[in-house]
mmCIF file of all heavy atoms in Angstrom:
data_model
loop_
_atom_site.group_PDB
_atom_site.id
_atom_site.type_symbol
_atom_site.label_atom_id
_atom_site.label_comp_id
_atom_site.label_asym_id
_atom_site.label_seq_id
_atom_site.Cartn_x
_atom_site.Cartn_y
_atom_site.Cartn_z
ATOM 1 N N GLU A 76 9.787 18.532 27.443
ATOM 2 C CA GLU A 76 9.773 19.989 27.258
ATOM 3 C C GLU A 76 10.939 20.445 26.382
ATOM 4 O O GLU A 76 10.778 21.319 25.521
ATOM 5 C CB GLU A 76 9.859 20.631 28.643
ATOM 6 C CG GLU A 76 9.301 22.023 28.747
ATOM 7 C CD GLU A 76 7.859 22.072 28.251
ATOM 8 O OE1 GLU A 76 7.020 21.214 28.683
ATOM 9 O OE2 GLU A 76 7.586 22.940 27.400
ATOM 10 N N VAL A 77 12.105 19.874 26.598
ATOM 11 C CA VAL A 77 13.283 20.240 25.777
ATOM 12 C C VAL A 77 13.234 19.537 24.402
ATOM 13 O O VAL A 77 13.563 20.113 23.376
ATOM 14 C CB VAL A 77 14.589 19.931 26.512
ATOM 15 C CG1 VAL A 77 15.801 20.242 25.654
ATOM 16 C CG2 VAL A 77 14.677 20.770 27.805
ATOM 17 N N TYR A 78 12.775 18.289 24.388
ATOM 18 C CA TYR A 78 12.569 17.578 23.106
ATOM 19 C C TYR A 78 11.754 18.443 22.121
ATOM 20 O O TYR A 78 11.936 18.363 20.907
ATOM 21 C CB TYR A 78 11.855 16.255 23.317
ATOM 22 C CG TYR A 78 12.721 15.077 23.730
ATOM 23 C CD1 TYR A 78 12.098 13.838 24.065
ATOM 24 C CD2 TYR A 78 14.094 15.111 23.752
ATOM 25 C CE1 TYR A 78 12.832 12.726 24.432
ATOM 26 C CE2 TYR A 78 14.848 14.004 24.127
ATOM 27 C CZ TYR A 78 14.207 12.795 24.466
ATOM 28 O OH TYR A 78 14.934 11.690 24.822
ATOM 29 N N ARG A 79 10.812 19.230 22.710
ATOM 30 C CA ARG A 79 9.949 20.038 21.857
ATOM 31 C C ARG A 79 10.700 21.002 20.972
ATOM 32 O O ARG A 79 10.168 21.485 19.942
ATOM 33 C CB ARG A 79 8.979 20.876 22.707
ATOM 34 C CG ARG A 79 7.848 20.099 23.331
ATOM 35 C CD ARG A 79 7.184 20.961 24.411
ATOM 36 N NE ARG A 79 6.170 20.222 25.124
ATOM 37 C CZ ARG A 79 4.871 20.263 24.814
ATOM 38 N NH1 ARG A 79 4.462 20.992 23.815
ATOM 39 N NH2 ARG A 79 4.013 19.534 25.490
ATOM 40 N N LEU A 80 11.912 21.343 21.342
ATOM 41 C CA LEU A 80 12.705 22.283 20.516
ATOM 42 C C LEU A 80 12.938 21.721 19.126
ATOM 43 O O LEU A 80 13.171 22.476 18.184
ATOM 44 C CB LEU A 80 14.036 22.604 21.190
ATOM 45 C CG LEU A 80 13.980 23.444 22.489
ATOM 46 C CD1 LEU A 80 15.360 23.577 23.077
ATOM 47 C CD2 LEU A 80 13.373 24.817 22.215
ATOM 48 N N TRP A 81 12.894 20.401 18.961
ATOM 49 C CA TRP A 81 13.106 19.848 17.629
ATOM 50 C C TRP A 81 12.309 18.570 17.318
ATOM 51 O O TRP A 81 12.204 18.172 16.168
ATOM 52 C CB TRP A 81 14.597 19.574 17.356
ATOM 53 C CG TRP A 81 15.142 18.360 18.034
ATOM 54 C CD1 TRP A 81 15.261 17.099 17.476
ATOM 55 C CD2 TRP A 81 15.583 18.232 19.394
ATOM 56 N NE1 TRP A 81 15.786 16.252 18.420
ATOM 57 C CE2 TRP A 81 15.988 16.921 19.595
ATOM 58 C CE3 TRP A 81 15.677 19.142 20.453
ATOM 59 C CZ2 TRP A 81 16.485 16.441 20.819
ATOM 60 C CZ3 TRP A 81 16.176 18.666 21.678
ATOM 61 C CH2 TRP A 81 16.565 17.344 21.847
ATOM 62 N N ARG A 82 11.751 17.922 18.301
ATOM 63 C CA ARG A 82 11.034 16.685 18.076
ATOM 64 C C ARG A 82 9.527 16.946 17.944
ATOM 65 O O ARG A 82 9.046 17.944 18.489
ATOM 66 C CB ARG A 82 11.242 15.669 19.211
ATOM 67 C CG ARG A 82 12.676 15.280 19.460
ATOM 68 C CD ARG A 82 12.794 13.829 19.956
ATOM 69 N NE ARG A 82 12.502 12.902 18.876
ATOM 70 C CZ ARG A 82 13.407 12.517 17.969
ATOM 71 N NH1 ARG A 82 14.637 12.920 18.020
ATOM 72 N NH2 ARG A 82 13.045 11.708 17.002
ATOM 73 N N PRO A 83 8.746 16.055 17.333
ATOM 74 C CA PRO A 83 9.184 14.927 16.502
ATOM 75 C C PRO A 83 9.963 15.424 15.271
ATOM 76 O O PRO A 83 9.656 16.449 14.717
ATOM 77 C CB PRO A 83 7.878 14.291 16.059
ATOM 78 C CG PRO A 83 6.833 14.750 17.044
ATOM 79 C CD PRO A 83 7.287 16.118 17.453
ATOM 80 N N THR A 84 10.959 14.624 14.910
ATOM 81 C CA THR A 84 11.736 14.967 13.711
ATOM 82 C C THR A 84 10.992 14.505 12.469
ATOM 83 O O THR A 84 10.140 13.589 12.523
ATOM 84 C CB THR A 84 13.128 14.307 13.754
ATOM 85 O OG1 THR A 84 12.936 12.886 13.802
ATOM 86 C CG2 THR A 84 13.911 14.750 14.973
ATOM 87 N N PRO A 85 11.251 15.125 11.325
ATOM 88 C CA PRO A 85 10.523 14.741 10.103
ATOM 89 C C PRO A 85 10.969 13.382 9.573
ATOM 90 O O PRO A 85 12.122 12.988 9.690
ATOM 91 C CB PRO A 85 10.885 15.870 9.109
ATOM 92 C CG PRO A 85 12.140 16.489 9.621
ATOM 93 C CD PRO A 85 12.162 16.293 11.095
ATOM 94 N N LEU A 86 10.017 12.682 9.007
ATOM 95 C CA LEU A 86 10.319 11.515 8.157
ATOM 96 C C LEU A 86 10.127 12.003 6.737
ATOM 97 O O LEU A 86 9.073 12.513 6.372
ATOM 98 C CB LEU A 86 9.371 10.363 8.450
ATOM 99 C CG LEU A 86 9.594 9.111 7.588
ATOM 100 C CD1 LEU A 86 10.849 8.367 8.023
ATOM 101 C CD2 LEU A 86 8.389 8.166 7.647
ATOM 102 N N TYR A 87 11.178 11.846 5.935
ATOM 103 C CA TYR A 87 11.141 12.296 4.553
ATOM 104 C C TYR A 87 10.881 11.125 3.606
ATOM 105 O O TYR A 87 11.485 10.047 3.766
ATOM 106 C CB TYR A 87 12.441 12.944 4.129
ATOM 107 C CG TYR A 87 12.630 14.383 4.537
ATOM 108 C CD1 TYR A 87 13.160 14.712 5.767
ATOM 109 C CD2 TYR A 87 12.319 15.413 3.659
ATOM 110 C CE1 TYR A 87 13.358 16.043 6.141
ATOM 111 C CE2 TYR A 87 12.516 16.741 4.001
ATOM 112 C CZ TYR A 87 13.021 17.044 5.235
ATOM 113 O OH TYR A 87 13.225 18.351 5.586
ATOM 114 N N ARG A 88 10.066 11.328 2.613
ATOM 115 C CA ARG A 88 10.051 10.450 1.454
ATOM 116 C C ARG A 88 11.047 11.026 0.453
ATOM 117 O O ARG A 88 10.875 12.168 0.013
ATOM 118 C CB ARG A 88 8.647 10.410 0.847
ATOM 119 C CG ARG A 88 8.551 9.743 -0.516
ATOM 120 C CD ARG A 88 8.364 8.244 -0.467
ATOM 121 N NE ARG A 88 8.359 7.664 -1.814
ATOM 122 C CZ ARG A 88 7.263 7.478 -2.537
ATOM 123 N NH1 ARG A 88 6.079 7.775 -2.049
ATOM 124 N NH2 ARG A 88 7.336 6.938 -3.744
ATOM 125 N N ALA A 89 12.072 10.223 0.092
ATOM 126 C CA ALA A 89 13.164 10.729 -0.764
ATOM 127 C C ALA A 89 12.769 10.645 -2.246
ATOM 128 O O ALA A 89 13.393 9.923 -3.030
ATOM 129 C CB ALA A 89 14.455 9.973 -0.482
ATOM 130 N N ARG A 90 11.734 11.387 -2.607
ATOM 131 C CA ARG A 90 11.211 11.262 -3.955
ATOM 132 C C ARG A 90 12.211 11.615 -5.033
ATOM 133 O O ARG A 90 12.283 10.978 -6.090
ATOM 134 C CB ARG A 90 9.985 12.165 -4.108
ATOM 135 C CG ARG A 90 8.818 11.734 -3.238
ATOM 136 C CD ARG A 90 7.602 12.669 -3.397
ATOM 137 N NE ARG A 90 6.563 12.264 -2.469
ATOM 138 C CZ ARG A 90 5.650 11.322 -2.739
ATOM 139 N NH1 ARG A 90 5.649 10.729 -3.919
ATOM 140 N NH2 ARG A 90 4.725 11.026 -1.858
ATOM 141 N N ARG A 91 13.010 12.671 -4.777
ATOM 142 C CA ARG A 91 13.959 13.095 -5.794
ATOM 143 C C ARG A 91 15.118 12.115 -5.925
ATOM 144 O O ARG A 91 15.663 11.896 -6.995
ATOM 145 C CB ARG A 91 14.464 14.512 -5.498
ATOM 146 C CG ARG A 91 13.317 15.509 -5.360
ATOM 147 C CD ARG A 91 13.840 16.908 -5.084
ATOM 148 N NE ARG A 91 14.525 17.413 -6.225
ATOM 149 C CZ ARG A 91 13.930 18.102 -7.205
ATOM 150 N NH1 ARG A 91 12.653 18.410 -7.130
ATOM 151 N NH2 ARG A 91 14.623 18.513 -8.239
ATOM 152 N N LEU A 92 15.500 11.511 -4.823
ATOM 153 C CA LEU A 92 16.558 10.490 -4.848
ATOM 154 C C LEU A 92 16.033 9.250 -5.607
ATOM 155 O O LEU A 92 16.784 8.668 -6.420
ATOM 156 C CB LEU A 92 16.985 10.114 -3.415
ATOM 157 C CG LEU A 92 18.046 9.016 -3.309
ATOM 158 C CD1 LEU A 92 19.356 9.450 -3.964
ATOM 159 C CD2 LEU A 92 18.290 8.624 -1.861
ATOM 160 N N GLU A 93 14.836 8.839 -5.315
ATOM 161 C CA GLU A 93 14.255 7.695 -6.033
ATOM 162 C C GLU A 93 14.323 7.931 -7.548
ATOM 163 O O GLU A 93 14.664 7.033 -8.318
ATOM 164 C CB GLU A 93 12.777 7.501 -5.621
ATOM 165 C CG GLU A 93 12.574 7.032 -4.189
ATOM 166 C CD GLU A 93 11.111 7.147 -3.775
ATOM 167 O OE1 GLU A 93 10.223 7.311 -4.636
ATOM 168 O OE2 GLU A 93 10.846 7.100 -2.528
ATOM 169 N N LYS A 94 13.943 9.152 -7.949
ATOM 170 C CA LYS A 94 13.931 9.503 -9.367
ATOM 171 C C LYS A 94 15.361 9.435 -9.928
ATOM 172 O O LYS A 94 15.570 8.908 -11.019
ATOM 173 C CB LYS A 94 13.362 10.934 -9.503
ATOM 174 C CG LYS A 94 12.627 11.166 -10.801
ATOM 175 C CD LYS A 94 11.862 12.495 -10.687
ATOM 176 C CE LYS A 94 11.372 12.945 -12.051
ATOM 177 N NZ LYS A 94 10.774 14.299 -11.990
ATOM 178 N N ALA A 95 16.302 9.979 -9.183
ATOM 179 C CA ALA A 95 17.697 9.990 -9.647
ATOM 180 C C ALA A 95 18.204 8.563 -9.815
ATOM 181 O O ALA A 95 19.059 8.272 -10.681
ATOM 182 C CB ALA A 95 18.566 10.761 -8.662
ATOM 183 N N LEU A 96 17.720 7.649 -8.978
ATOM 184 C CA LEU A 96 18.178 6.268 -9.040
ATOM 185 C C LEU A 96 17.334 5.445 -10.022
ATOM 186 O O LEU A 96 17.697 4.316 -10.344
ATOM 187 C CB LEU A 96 18.075 5.600 -7.645
ATOM 188 C CG LEU A 96 18.997 6.154 -6.544
ATOM 189 C CD1 LEU A 96 18.592 5.609 -5.177
ATOM 190 C CD2 LEU A 96 20.454 5.813 -6.862
ATOM 191 N N GLY A 97 16.241 5.993 -10.489
ATOM 192 C CA GLY A 97 15.343 5.237 -11.361
ATOM 193 C C GLY A 97 14.854 3.962 -10.727
ATOM 194 O O GLY A 97 14.724 2.929 -11.371
ATOM 195 N N THR A 98 14.536 4.044 -9.439
ATOM 196 C CA THR A 98 14.143 2.844 -8.715
ATOM 197 C C THR A 98 12.635 2.821 -8.457
ATOM 198 O O THR A 98 12.041 3.864 -8.196
ATOM 199 C CB THR A 98 14.869 2.736 -7.364
ATOM 200 O OG1 THR A 98 14.504 1.543 -6.704
ATOM 201 C CG2 THR A 98 14.555 3.938 -6.452
ATOM 202 N N PRO A 99 12.050 1.631 -8.489
ATOM 203 C CA PRO A 99 10.642 1.527 -8.091
ATOM 204 C C PRO A 99 10.481 1.471 -6.573
ATOM 205 O O PRO A 99 9.351 1.462 -6.072
ATOM 206 C CB PRO A 99 10.185 0.216 -8.751
ATOM 207 C CG PRO A 99 11.435 -0.612 -8.816
ATOM 208 C CD PRO A 99 12.587 0.361 -8.981
ATOM 209 N N ALA A 100 11.596 1.392 -5.862
ATOM 210 C CA ALA A 100 11.530 1.338 -4.382
ATOM 211 C C ALA A 100 11.068 2.691 -3.867
ATOM 212 O O ALA A 100 11.259 3.727 -4.502
ATOM 213 C CB ALA A 100 12.909 0.999 -3.798
ATOM 214 N N ARG A 101 10.463 2.665 -2.684
ATOM 215 C CA ARG A 101 10.092 3.908 -1.996
ATOM 216 C C ARG A 101 11.034 4.050 -0.805
ATOM 217 O O ARG A 101 11.101 3.199 0.065
ATOM 218 C CB ARG A 101 8.636 3.876 -1.570
ATOM 219 C CG ARG A 101 7.690 3.735 -2.769
ATOM 220 C CD ARG A 101 6.245 3.985 -2.407
ATOM 221 N NE ARG A 101 5.650 2.965 -1.554
ATOM 222 C CZ ARG A 101 5.232 1.777 -1.973
ATOM 223 N NH1 ARG A 101 5.349 1.422 -3.253
ATOM 224 N NH2 ARG A 101 4.679 0.916 -1.119
ATOM 225 N N ILE A 102 11.787 5.172 -0.829
ATOM 226 C CA ILE A 102 12.820 5.377 0.187
ATOM 227 C C ILE A 102 12.346 6.436 1.180
ATOM 228 O O ILE A 102 11.971 7.538 0.798
ATOM 229 C CB ILE A 102 14.154 5.864 -0.435
ATOM 230 C CG1 ILE A 102 14.593 4.905 -1.554
ATOM 231 C CG2 ILE A 102 15.226 6.020 0.630
ATOM 232 C CD1 ILE A 102 15.803 5.398 -2.345
ATOM 233 N N TYR A 103 12.361 6.094 2.458
ATOM 234 C CA TYR A 103 12.033 7.026 3.531
ATOM 235 C C TYR A 103 13.265 7.221 4.411
ATOM 236 O O TYR A 103 13.975 6.252 4.704
ATOM 237 C CB TYR A 103 10.878 6.498 4.403
ATOM 238 C CG TYR A 103 9.556 6.435 3.654
ATOM 239 C CD1 TYR A 103 9.218 5.302 2.903
ATOM 240 C CD2 TYR A 103 8.673 7.505 3.708
ATOM 241 C CE1 TYR A 103 8.013 5.255 2.218
ATOM 242 C CE2 TYR A 103 7.474 7.436 3.027
ATOM 243 C CZ TYR A 103 7.130 6.338 2.294
ATOM 244 O OH TYR A 103 5.956 6.287 1.620
ATOM 245 N N TYR A 104 13.491 8.459 4.836
ATOM 246 C CA TYR A 104 14.571 8.648 5.786
ATOM 247 C C TYR A 104 14.129 9.509 6.959
ATOM 248 O O TYR A 104 13.480 10.530 6.804
ATOM 249 C CB TYR A 104 15.851 9.207 5.143
ATOM 250 C CG TYR A 104 15.763 10.567 4.538
ATOM 251 C CD1 TYR A 104 16.171 11.702 5.224
ATOM 252 C CD2 TYR A 104 15.299 10.727 3.221
ATOM 253 C CE1 TYR A 104 16.095 12.948 4.634
ATOM 254 C CE2 TYR A 104 15.228 11.973 2.650
ATOM 255 C CZ TYR A 104 15.648 13.093 3.361
ATOM 256 O OH TYR A 104 15.575 14.322 2.785
ATOM 257 N N LYS A 105 14.458 9.030 8.151
ATOM 258 C CA LYS A 105 14.152 9.743 9.378
ATOM 259 C C LYS A 105 15.326 10.666 9.633
ATOM 260 O O LYS A 105 16.479 10.208 9.794
ATOM 261 C CB LYS A 105 13.970 8.720 10.507
ATOM 262 C CG LYS A 105 13.692 9.301 11.858
ATOM 263 C CD LYS A 105 12.267 9.828 11.976
ATOM 264 C CE LYS A 105 11.933 10.161 13.441
ATOM 265 N NZ LYS A 105 10.744 11.059 13.528
#
Side-chain angles (χ1 to χ4, degrees):
Chain A
E76 204 54 49
V77 177
Y78 277 174
R79 285 166 186 265
L80 291 175
W81 76 97
R82 301 213 72 83
T84 60
L86 179 74
Y87 279 87
R88 168 86 183 268
R90 293 179 184 275
R91 304 181 68 90
L92 178 63
E93 292 168 15
K94 211 168 167 186
L96 294 169
T98 181
R101 298 192 292 281
I102 306 173
Y103 293 87
Y104 63 97
K105 179 74 169 162

